[in-house]
């Protein structure tokens, strides 16, 4: 079983939709949870970084962590074409573990 | 902050040739990581350094791969001899080592094609 599981998609939504991206994990020792956005032919860039269970909001983005269910989510409100990218979840305990990424396309 | 700088951006080489990828981490970051990304396997950690010392190289595929960090501002990943299955995007990332609350910062990668 992989440490981190992420649905690769692809996911296609109309502009303005609410997007939900999810990851599950197996290691209850994970302490830090991240979401990275990766545009085509670019490196991953950090979007959200959380430590505890609960929600963290930053503009149109909300990161949610449920440690009891070993489940994290990223919500994007009012999605824009510029949000079209691959989103990777990542977790850390001693080292980083990445999901394989979900490809998102927002259609104008 | 110039970010993590990698060179070259693209490398096309023939099987059997030596390939050297270069990385300059963010100033002040003393942990450096080399990752490989493919469609099939996603991001794979190859090796990471703390204060220029290799800590974990268990992800290096085989002896054809080697990495060095001669000083705090420069690292290389070398493949000799290269093979077509090495074709991938190679990322370098850095972060402050002594921070428990710091994510990785990635460069824009080197896209390697071995024919």
């Amino acid at each position: 079983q992989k440490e981190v599981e992420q649905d690769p998609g692809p996911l296609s939504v109309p502009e303005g939709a609410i997007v939900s991206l999810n990851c599950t994990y197996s290691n209850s020792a994970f302490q830090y949870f991240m979401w990275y956005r990766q545009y085509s032919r670019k490196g991953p860039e950090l979007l959200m970084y959380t430590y505890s269970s609960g929600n963290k909001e930053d503009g149109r983005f909300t990161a949610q962590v449920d440690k009891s269910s070993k489940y994290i989510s990223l919500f994007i409100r009012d999605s824009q074409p510029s949000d079209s990218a691959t989103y990777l979840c990542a977790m850390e305990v001693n080292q980083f573990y990445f999901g394989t990424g979900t490809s998102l396309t927002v259609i104008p | 902050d110039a970010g993590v700088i990698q060179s070259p951006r693209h490398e096309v080489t023939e099987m059997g040739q030596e390939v050297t990828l270069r990385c300059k981490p963010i100033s002040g970051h003393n942990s450096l990581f080399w990752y490989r990304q493919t469609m099939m396997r996603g991001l794979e950690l190859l090796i990471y350094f703390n204060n220029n010392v290799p800590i974990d190289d268990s992800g290096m595929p085989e002896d054809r791969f080697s990495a060095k960090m001669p000083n705090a501002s420069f690292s290389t990943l070398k493949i000799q001899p290269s093979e077509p299955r090495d074709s991938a995007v190679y990322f370098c990332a850095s972060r402050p080592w002594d921070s428990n609350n710091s994510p990785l910062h990635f460069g824009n990668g080197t896209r390697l094609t071995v024919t």
Side-chain angles (χ1 to χ4, degrees):
Chain A
Q1 182 185 8
K2 283 185 179 178
E3 297 274 5
V4 180
E5 298 277 0
Q6 183 175 11
D7 185 341
L11 189 59
S12 184
V13 301
E15 184 175 352
I18 297 174
V19 176
S20 173
L21 305 168
N22 310 295
C23 287
T24 58
Y25 60 95
S26 56
N27 189 345
S28 58
F30 285 138
Q31 296 180 341
Y32 302 99
F33 304 89
M34 291 142 279
W35 285 96
Y36 284 83
R37 178 176 61 195
Q38 186 175 19
Y39 290 116
S40 179
R41 299 187 179 270
K42 295 286 189 179
E45 60 175 326
L46 182 70
L47 261 185
M48 301 287 282
Y49 186 83
T50 61
Y51 171 70
S52 58
S53 282
N55 293 353
K56 180 178 181 179
E57 192 173 312
D58 184 0
R60 296 184 295 110
F61 299 90
T62 299
Q64 186 175 81
V65 175
D66 183 346
K67 288 187 177 180
S68 62
S69 301
K70 299 190 182 69
Y71 191 87
I72 69 170
S73 300
L74 178 70
F75 298 97
I76 308 175
R77 291 184 300 280
D78 187 24
S79 56
Q80 301 295 309
S82 59
D83 295 328
S84 298
T86 296
Y87 290 80
L88 300 102
C89 62
M91 303 167 194
E92 182 189 7
V93 59
N94 299 323
Q95 65 171 292
F96 290 87
Y97 296 84
F98 286 86
T100 51
T102 300
S103 175
L104 170 68
T105 300
V106 181
I107 302 168
Chain B
D1 183 354
V4 176
I5 299 172
Q6 292 186 247
S7 65
R9 287 300 311 276
H10 304 275
E11 178 78 40
V12 180
T13 190
E14 292 183 348
M15 183 174 63
Q17 296 299 305
E18 178 179 296
V19 175
T20 299
L21 312 181
R22 297 172 176 78
C23 175
K24 176 179 170 58
I26 292 173
S27 178
H29 284 192
N30 49 6
S31 283
L32 183 141
F33 301 73
W34 282 100
Y35 283 87
R36 178 172 66 180
Q37 187 179 44
T38 60
M39 289 290 291
M40 292 296 296
R41 301 171 69 94
L43 274 169
E44 299 175 280
L45 177 65
L46 300 176
I47 185 172
Y48 79 92
F49 296 82
N50 284 341
N51 287 331
N52 313 336
V53 176
I55 302 301
D56 183 357
D57 65 354
S58 59
M60 297 285 261
E62 46 198 272
D63 292 345
R64 298 184 297 108
F65 285 69
S66 62
K68 293 182 180 180
M69 192 164 185
N71 57 63
S73 60
F74 184 67
S75 178
T76 59
L77 178 67
K78 186 176 293 187
I79 308 172
Q80 166 64 20
S82 57
E83 297 182 2
R85 60 190 168 122
D86 301 331
S87 297
V89 182
Y90 291 80
F91 287 104
C92 177
S94 70
R95 76 162 180 174
W97 174 39
D98 54 358
S99 170
N100 288 325
N101 199 27
S102 182
L104 294 176
H105 298 263
F106 286 85
N108 280 325
T110 295
R111 184 173 295 272
L112 174 64
T113 303
V114 183
T115 61

